[in-house]
Amino acid sequence: IQAVLQVLQADIGALLLLQDANYASMSAGHDRVMGRTISGLSINLANQPTLVNAIERRTQRPLYPDRNADELRDLYTRFEIEQVGPTYFQPLTKDRELLAVLVVGLPYAGRELDDATQELLKGIGIIAANLLALSRAAEDERAQAGVRVAEVFDQVEDPAVQAAWQQLQTSLEAAREKIIELNSEVTTLK
């Protein structure tokens, strides 16, 4: 989201996931202008016909203050932002399957994205969808591998092997925590 905001020079960005046919939840959000994470509430799709249209058609849809005032007010209230401005819904799809919806807004700048920037957002949407699909596939594979390893480990009765396995798990968890810490430092440096 931060990369999208930087490339497009947009104010806010969020990633919405469909919970069910009636609600979308925010998986991540960032307010670049205020420098804060957005922790919004679930969005009732009954109040967001343009978002529903973007989801159904799998195509980018804009919201403008002069035409979509109620939808914008509802959306930004949920994002805990007082101002409203042009906002774009970019569905992230892979093989016509909806993975998420990228929301890009300009409530502080109040400017609209020009045609070239809207096309850039569409291209970013394609790349983001592919990365999201790869990430989900990797998570699924990791979970399945963990289950397979646990099944094999349950069959091993040698205490030395079990101790070595426990030590390996502890080292792996420490490495994961270090990676998270380093990623945080890289983000801070950026």
Side-chain angles (χ1 to χ4, degrees), residues 64-126:
Y64 299 112
D66 60 335
R67 293 178 232 154
N68 311 98
D70 292 338
E71 290 176 78
L72 284 168
R73 202 172 309 101
D74 176 66
L75 185 68
Y76 282 102
T77 297
R78 294 181 187 288
F79 290 168
E80 298 176 354
I81 297 174
E82 292 181 22
Q83 296 170 279
V84 299
T87 302
Y88 301 83
F89 296 124
Q90 178 62 55
L92 305 181
T93 61
K94 175 81 170 150
D95 300 326
R96 296 293 297 161
E97 177 190 348
L98 181 71
L99 304 176
V101 177
L102 180 62
V103 180
V104 174
L106 298 114
Y108 306 111
R111 68 178 172 80
E112 296 177 13
L113 298 179
D114 60 26
D115 291 342
T117 309
Q118 288 181 43
E119 286 301 314
L120 179 59
L121 177 56
K122 287 178 187 176
I124 290 170
I126 293 168

Side-chain angles (χ1 to χ4, degrees), residues 1 14-17 24-29 37-38 40 99-101 132 136:
I1 290 173
L15 193 63
L16 302 179
L17 304 175
S25 63
M26 185 170 26
S27 132
T37 299
I38 300 172
L99 304 176
V101 177
L132 191 56
R136 288 183 179 172

Side-chain angles (χ1 to χ4, degrees), residues 10 17 21 23 28 30 34 45 47 50 52 68 70 72 83 87 103 109 136 139 143 166 174 176 180 185 189:
L17 304 175
Y23 289 93
H30 186 73
M34 296 298 175
L45 296 178
N47 299 331
T50 305
V52 171
N68 311 98
D70 292 338
L72 284 168
Q83 296 170 279
T87 302
V103 180
R136 288 183 179 172
E139 286 176 6
Q166 193 61 38
R176 284 185 186 131
I180 291 170
E185 288 180 24
L189 290 172

